[in-house]
Amino acid sequence: MSLAALTLSSPLTVSTTTKQKPRPPHYPRPKITCSSLTTQSAKQHLLNLISDQERGLKTQNDTNKRDSIIKAIDAMAVLGRNTVTTGDSLSATWRLLWTTEKEQLFIIEKAYLFGTQAGDVLQVIDVDNKTLNNVITFPPDGVFFVRSSIEIASSQRVNFKFTSAVLRGKNWEFPLPPFGQGCNT
C-alpha cells in the first residue's frame, strides 16, 4: 500500500540552533528546542486537515487540499527523521485515516456496488512474523482482505509484497490474484 498513510508516534525532541550575527565567545549561541509539544501541534494540524476528507476521497479532486496534507505529512517526517518506525511498535492494527492509494479509494468509493458502505479500513502489521494485511470491511458481513509479506529495509522503511487477496461476503468468497509490491515509509 503506497500511501501517504498516517502512522504517527510521539514524543519526539528536536534540537536546532539559530543563525544570528557572530557573538563573542562568552555569549553562547541560543538553542531552540522543539519539544513533543511541536510534534503534537504538527499531528493535530495534520489530523485537522484530513478530518473532513473521507479517507482521501474528497482530496482526489482538490489538489490544493492534497498539497496541504502532503506538506503536513512531510513536516511530520522531518520531525521524526531520526526515529525508528520499523521496530516492535509497528506491530499493531492501524486504522486508515487518509490515503492517496487509488485502488483503496476506488474500493471505498464503490462499496455501494455490494449494497453496503466501506467500514473500517485497517492495516494489521506483525514485524516478528513479517506479515502485513490490508483489510477493508463491508458491514455487516463483507471484507476485502489482502495478505502481504514484509521485509524491514531500514529504520523507517518496510518493503512488502502481496501474497494473496480475497473478497468475501456472507455466503461467498472470491479469490483474487495478488499483484504489486512496494514500500511503506
Side-chain angles (χ1 to χ4, degrees):
M1 167 193 298
S2 85
L3 115 87
L6 185 55
T7 310
L8 304 174
S9 61
S10 68
L12 296 175
T13 303
V14 177
S15 298
T16 185
T17 57
T18 60
K19 290 186 179 181
Q20 295 182 346
K21 294 179 184 177
R23 295 173 167 258
H26 59 283
Y27 289 106
R29 197 176 276 265
K31 284 193 174 184
I32 299 171
T33 302
C34 300
S35 68
S36 63
L37 184 60
T38 302
T39 302
Q40 291 299 334
S41 173
K43 279 185 192 180
Q44 193 55 55
H45 174 66
L46 180 54
L47 290 170
N48 289 341
L49 284 171
I50 66 172
S51 66
D52 64 348
Q53 294 303 298
E54 296 179 14
R55 295 183 262 208
L57 289 173
K58 288 184 175 181
T59 314
Q60 294 179 98
N61 299 319
D62 186 344
T63 55
N64 289 334
K65 185 72 166 197
R66 178 185 164 123
D67 291 347
S68 294
I69 292 168
I70 291 173
K71 184 177 177 182
I73 290 169
D74 289 344
M76 288 294 304
V78 168
L79 289 171
R81 71 182 166 269
N82 295 319
T83 304
V84 174
T85 59
T86 56
D88 290 338
S89 64
L90 182 62
S91 291
T93 297
W94 300 89
R95 178 171 285 115
L96 177 79
L97 300 178
W98 183 85
T99 187
T100 59
E101 212 278 321
K102 292 182 186 321
E103 288 82 4
Q104 282 195 343
L105 290 171
F106 177 82
I107 292 168
I108 293 166
E109 185 177 35
K110 303 300 182 191
Y112 70 88
L113 297 173
F114 299 100
T116 187
Q117 295 181 37
D120 283 331
V121 180
L122 306 169
Q123 192 168 73
V124 183
I125 301 172
D126 185 331
V127 173
D128 289 339
N129 289 318
K130 298 183 178 183
T131 60
L132 178 152
N133 298 312
N134 291 324
V135 181
I136 301 176
T137 63
F138 302 105
D141 301 309
V143 66
F144 178 59
F145 192 84
V146 180
R147 286 184 176 87
S148 306
S149 60
I150 62 171
E151 176 186 312
I152 304 301
S154 73
S155 64
Q156 293 191 333
R157 183 173 296 271
V158 176
N159 293 330
F160 64 91
K161 183 175 183 179
F162 297 129
T163 57
S164 68
V166 65
L167 183 59
R168 286 189 190 123
K170 185 173 183 172
N171 296 313
W172 56 273
E173 181 173 301
F174 186 69
L176 300 166
F179 61 93
Q181 60 187 23
C183 66
N184 279 355
T185 55

